[in-house]
Amino acid sequence: MWLKHSVGMCLAFVLSGSLLAAPSLDSSLSQSVKRGQYLSTLGDCAACHSMQGGKHMAGGLELKTPFGKLYSTNITPDKKAGIGSYTFEQFDRAMRKGVAADGHNLYPAMPYPSYAKMSGEDMQALYDYLMNGVEPVAQPNKASEMKWPFSMRWGLSLWNKMFLENKPFVEDKTKSAAWNRGAYIVQGLGHCGSCHTPRGIAFQEKTMAQDGKNGNLFLAGSTVDAWHAVSLRDIWTEADIVEFLKTGRNKHATAYGTMTEVVGLSTQHFTQEDLQSIAVYLKSLPVTSKQVAATPKTTFVPQPAGEKLYKTAGGLGYDQFCSTCHRKDGMGVTGLFPPLAGNRSILSEDPTSAIHVTLSGWKSASTKGQPRVVGMPEFGNLTDEELADIITFMRTTWGNQATHVTAAQVKKVRDQIDLAKQDGTKFSTPRFANMLETANAEQVVYGMRLMTETKALLPDNVGNGLNCSSCHLNGGTVAKASPFVGVASQFPRYAARAGREIDLQDRINGCFKRSMHGKPVPKKSKEMQAMVAYFQWMNNGYKMNDKIPGRGIGKIDDAIVPDKTNGKKIYEAQCAVCHGQNGQGVQKPDGSYVFPAVWGDDSFNIGAGMARTYTAAAFIKSNMPMGHSTRFPLGHGGLSDQDAVDVAEYFSHVKRPDFAEKVNDWPNGEKPKDARY
């Protein structure tokens, strides 16, 4: 948002923009400086006044507003470029009234209406820190680029007269000490209302506290700069609030957008006492009448998606692009991906944030308690209509009750944000939703489900924990993940391992026997016919020996010498979060797999391509880790060729089930050099 924006800010600014060694400071001043440093964290000063790769508090960060661009100022104690020549009185006036030392008015992008609530003691401590605990930096300030008439600062004097309350926080003696401390932080240094309180025609916060004429609007939610900051009134439990502010996630939601930066740079560093006080205060704020219909209670009980998942364009779109992480039941993956069922951001009356995140992707906050960053790819290549269908499905399923989203709403948000340009590709991602247009739609959809829910639908034929989609991502619709596009046209064909000509049904059964350690599916069965129908739908007009874009698993140099020791390190750092520290995968309470095992009894067999070092490395290089992708669809991992080979060598050679018929392999074909046997 324009009031609190710091793209890609580094946590090191808070942790290493540290107190200067100051042996000459007397003990009382030293204590004040230390307290001021903590207050600067409460106020999230580094978020706006430090640039990525720049000096701590030296300013220069671009702040986009509806009225033009601003650049944050240098607030180091440099006497020319910074605020080193400010007296305490001048600093206090800037913080409370938005007037600089030379008398010019500051734009309220600097939230001085909130800082005005600070106590005199805290203001002095913050001043002491900035003057004695921050390194002076001679970095000149950049001129603002505001549009006329907003470039004329004299108008800010009128704005201040109309909207600036300029009153320090006054304790409510009828409330507890924790409530008052929470109110002081939220209303003051924390300036939570800057994003979460609705704004008026002059872009002023409609209220600065929970009391008074518009008190019911305080923290009731607001939309600015293509983000909707949700209502914080009566949100979750106190423990949930504390967990969210400390780690950026809880069982209900995960921080996104600007809030990711707030957690990473600011709230994770709050004391436990202050976090608890904030939670006490926020829980005391009653919901507004507008919230009642749109906000689920904390006792929200999710309902099954039912046939809607497979019989609507939005449901099939969700199944294809979202369910891998958020699951078919909308409950996400604990500690990794947030639930969508009962999620306030999804249910918000204003769907702006849900649209924004879906278009541009997301990464979680990195905190001391949750250092692992996970994310979601951007889906900007989906059409406005596709995204509207998918988001509507999310807002109206599992017990969620919210308004439908239109393509026009998606377009409005798309036009407001800068989406990264996608790499060109000849591979066209098939859309599950298009299966509804086929004459045998029910059969084709069932075939798709057999590919993505293989273990659940064919338990007698699958002998381990895999689904076809464990390797052929998203039902075989992802380039360089052995997609199913064009495969049907390539059979029957001679297979070296089989030593004979095989048809498509034989090939499918080969996976059941080899990769999934199971039993063949009868060729005339309903299930086999459905899978073949799905493959035929995926054929997309290709003929035998045609060159098919995206086919296979990509290429990697087989001259790279694998380092298994480094591979183990890569696995622990990059892969274990989804596939388990011991390769066991991630399972739901019912035993079904969220993410598959990569070694052990439930993993792929020796006959699968993933048991070959360079084949596995190419797959990893192109597609993993999915949670770190920022491209559509899920592919394009972030590992180097060497790291991919190293980790493939490590995990592909750990013990897993054998395959008795391997003695019949390679009858008329040369054994690959990276095969395990």
Side-chain angles (χ1 to χ4, degrees):
M1 294 188 182
W2 70 280
L3 288 166
K4 202 174 183 70
H5 181 63
S6 56
V7 176
M9 287 296 300
C10 177
L11 182 57
F13 285 133
V14 172
L15 300 180
S16 68
S18 317
L19 295 174
L20 297 171
S24 61
L25 298 181
D26 62 42
S27 60
S28 61
L29 179 56
S30 179
Q31 289 301 312
S32 182
V33 170
K34 288 180 180 179
R35 175 163 178 75
Q37 183 183 35
Y38 178 66
L39 291 168
S40 77
T41 302
L42 284 180
D44 204 10
C45 303
C48 287
H49 291 280
S50 301
M51 289 180 61
Q52 183 179 16
K55 295 288 187 178
H56 184 57
M57 301 296 192
L61 185 73
E62 179 183 304
L63 305 169
K64 293 181 180 179
T65 83
F67 319 109
K69 293 180 183 178
L70 296 173
Y71 297 91
S72 64
T73 55
N74 185 332
I75 58 171
T76 73
D78 184 83
K79 291 189 178 295
K80 290 186 178 180
I83 59 172
S85 62
Y86 273 53
T87 65
F88 172 73
E89 289 71 23
Q90 290 172 327
F91 177 77
D92 186 77
R93 182 178 70 168
M95 290 290 287
R96 296 187 192 278
K97 297 181 180 180
V99 179
D102 64 2
H104 79 266
N105 287 95
L106 304 176
Y107 287 99
M110 199 280 271
Y112 59 84
S114 297
Y115 294 158
K117 292 180 178 287
M118 290 175 62
S119 68
E121 181 184 13
D122 280 353
M123 192 69 77
Q124 181 67 58
L126 183 60
Y127 176 78
D128 290 343
Y129 166 63
L130 291 173
M131 293 301 175
N132 301 284
V134 175
E135 179 184 357
V137 180
Q139 177 176 301
N141 291 311
K142 296 183 68 172
S144 62
E145 301 174 16
M146 299 293 278
K147 304 171 186 175
W148 189 88
F150 307 106
S151 57
M152 304 172 67
R153 290 182 183 255
W154 62 264
L156 295 169
S157 298
L158 299 177
W159 192 94
N160 286 344
K161 287 181 180 180
M162 295 176 65
F163 305 118
L164 181 61
E165 295 181 7
N166 191 25
K167 296 177 182 178
F169 178 80
V170 178
E171 287 194 2
D172 185 338
K173 301 299 183 182
T174 68
K175 305 291 187 182
S176 68
W179 185 96
N180 277 289
R181 175 64 178 169
Y184 175 70
I185 295 171
V186 170
Q187 296 175 22
L189 268 169
H191 57 289
C192 304
S194 293
C195 292
H196 291 275
T197 296
R199 293 182 174 272
I201 192 171
F203 229 66
Q204 81 285 5
E205 292 171 55
K206 290 188 175 180
T207 181
M208 302 300 294
Q210 76 286 341
D211 299 319
K213 179 182 177 182
N214 292 321
N216 65 318
L217 297 179
F218 186 60
L219 305 182
S222 179
T223 301
V224 180
D225 196 23
W227 287 111
H228 179 73
V230 298
S231 171
L232 302 182
R233 302 178 74 90
D234 190 32
I235 188 170
W236 308 323
T237 65
E238 290 180 14
D240 290 334
I241 295 171
V242 170
E243 182 182 5
F244 184 84
L245 295 175
K246 192 75 175 175
T247 68
R249 62 189 78 173
N250 60 27
K251 63 186 178 184
H252 304 290
T254 302
Y256 58 80
T258 307
M259 194 64 202
T260 302
E261 298 154 8
V262 173
V263 172
L265 290 166
S266 184
T267 61
Q268 69 156 318
H269 302 291
F270 291 7
T271 65
Q272 192 67 23
E273 183 179 16
D274 279 349
L275 289 173
Q276 187 62 44
S277 295
I278 291 170
V280 167
Y281 174 66
L282 292 179
K283 278 300 295 179
S284 74
L285 301 177
V287 297
T288 64
S289 57
K290 185 181 252 187
Q291 275 183 272
V292 174
T295 304
K297 301 297 181 185
T298 55
T299 55
F300 176 86
V301 178
Q303 305 298 316
E307 289 299 302
K308 184 178 179 182
L309 183 63
Y310 305 112
K311 292 190 174 182
T312 65
L316 286 168
Y318 174 86
D319 192 36
Q320 180 173 6
F321 298 115
C322 315
S323 67
T324 297
C325 297
H326 297 290
R327 314 311 298 159
K328 295 178 188 290
D329 60 8
M331 294 306 293
V333 181
T334 302
L336 288 175
F337 304 111
L340 304 179
N343 187 308
R344 282 196 175 207
S345 293
I346 297 298
L347 284 165
S348 174
E349 181 182 18
D350 187 330
T352 298
S353 285
I355 296 170
H356 194 147
V357 169
T358 308
L359 280 166
S360 62
W362 155 87
K363 284 188 178 181
S364 67
S366 176
T367 64
K368 292 178 290 184
Q370 295 279 3
R372 177 72 185 192
V373 174
V374 296
M376 138 180 166
E378 59 193 49
F379 289 100
N381 269 16
L382 292 176
T383 67
D384 295 339
E385 291 75 14
E386 286 176 310
L387 288 175
D389 287 341
I390 291 170
I391 298 170
T392 294
F393 173 83
M394 294 188 293
R395 285 166 60 86
T396 59
T397 309
W398 314 300
N400 287 352
Q401 297 180 25
T403 56
H404 287 213
V405 169
T406 66
Q409 287 175 297
V410 176
K411 183 179 185 304
K412 179 180 178 181
V413 176
R414 190 192 294 271
D415 290 344
Q416 293 179 57
I417 62 179
D418 297 322
L419 290 177
K421 186 177 181 180
Q422 299 289 316
D423 291 339
T425 175
K426 294 180 179 179
F427 181 81
S428 178
T429 304
R431 304 292 204 264
F432 283 179
N434 291 342
M435 291 187 288
L436 297 175
E437 300 171 5
T438 63
N440 59 336
E442 186 174 343
Q443 183 186 42
V444 175
V445 170
Y446 184 48
M448 176 275 293
R449 292 186 60 192
L450 287 163
M451 294 291 163
T452 57
E453 305 167 60
T454 324
K455 175 72 171 179
L457 298 179
L458 292 170
D460 294 334
N461 299 89
V462 178
N464 56 24
L466 299 186
N467 292 313
C468 299
S469 273
S470 298
C471 296
H472 305 272
L473 302 179
N474 282 25
T477 63
V478 176
K480 297 184 180 180
S482 290
F484 296 147
V485 175
V487 168
S489 65
Q490 308 304 307
F491 289 90
R493 68 185 306 137
Y494 176 80
R497 284 189 173 187
R500 59 185 174 81
E501 188 175 83
I502 64 172
D503 59 22
L504 179 58
Q505 294 165 313
D506 292 324
R507 180 63 185 86
I508 292 171
N509 274 331
C511 264
F512 277 95
K513 292 167 63 180
R514 292 177 174 278
S515 303
M516 297 188 287
H517 209 230
K519 298 184 300 184
V521 179
K523 287 191 172 185
K524 294 184 178 181
S525 66
K526 172 185 175 184
E527 287 73 23
M528 178 59 79
Q529 295 305 311
M531 286 187 281
V532 169
Y534 177 64
F535 271 94
Q536 290 172 339
W537 175 76
M538 289 280 284
N539 193 53
N540 204 27
Y542 286 104
K543 297 180 177 62
M544 177 70 76
N545 298 322
D546 279 354
K547 186 175 181 180
I548 304 170
R551 179 79 181 275
I553 44 82
K555 299 293 183 183
I556 204 156
D557 186 358
D558 62 6
I560 295 174
V561 179
D563 179 348
K564 189 180 289 189
T565 301
N566 183 54
K568 185 175 187 294
K569 293 178 181 178
I570 296 295
Y571 180 86
E572 291 171 348
Q574 300 281 9
C575 315
V577 65
C578 288
H579 295 291
Q581 200 68 33
N582 296 308
Q584 76 276 17
V586 172
Q587 290 176 279
K588 295 175 68 175
D590 64 5
S592 62
Y593 278 91
V594 177
F595 299 113
V598 289
W599 67 78
D601 291 343
D602 261 2
S603 69
F604 52 85
N605 276 335
I606 202 164
M610 293 299 271
R612 294 176 52 191
T613 297
Y614 296 96
T615 302
F619 178 86
I620 294 164
K621 172 68 177 177
S622 295
N623 298 292
M624 298 290 154
M626 290 165 60
H628 294 268
S629 167
T630 57
R631 309 274 184 94
F632 162 85
L634 297 176
H636 304 287
L639 297 180
S640 68
D641 286 5
Q642 181 69 60
D643 285 345
V645 170
D646 292 348
V647 74
E649 176 74 7
Y650 170 67
F651 86 79
S652 68
H653 285 68
V654 181
K655 186 178 180 180
R656 57 179 49 82
D658 204 343
F659 178 63
E661 296 179 39
K662 70 180 182 180
V663 294
N664 297 320
D665 285 352
W666 329 118
N668 293 306
E670 183 181 350
K671 172 188 169 184
K673 78 173 197 176
D674 60 341
R676 289 185 57 190
Y677 58 94

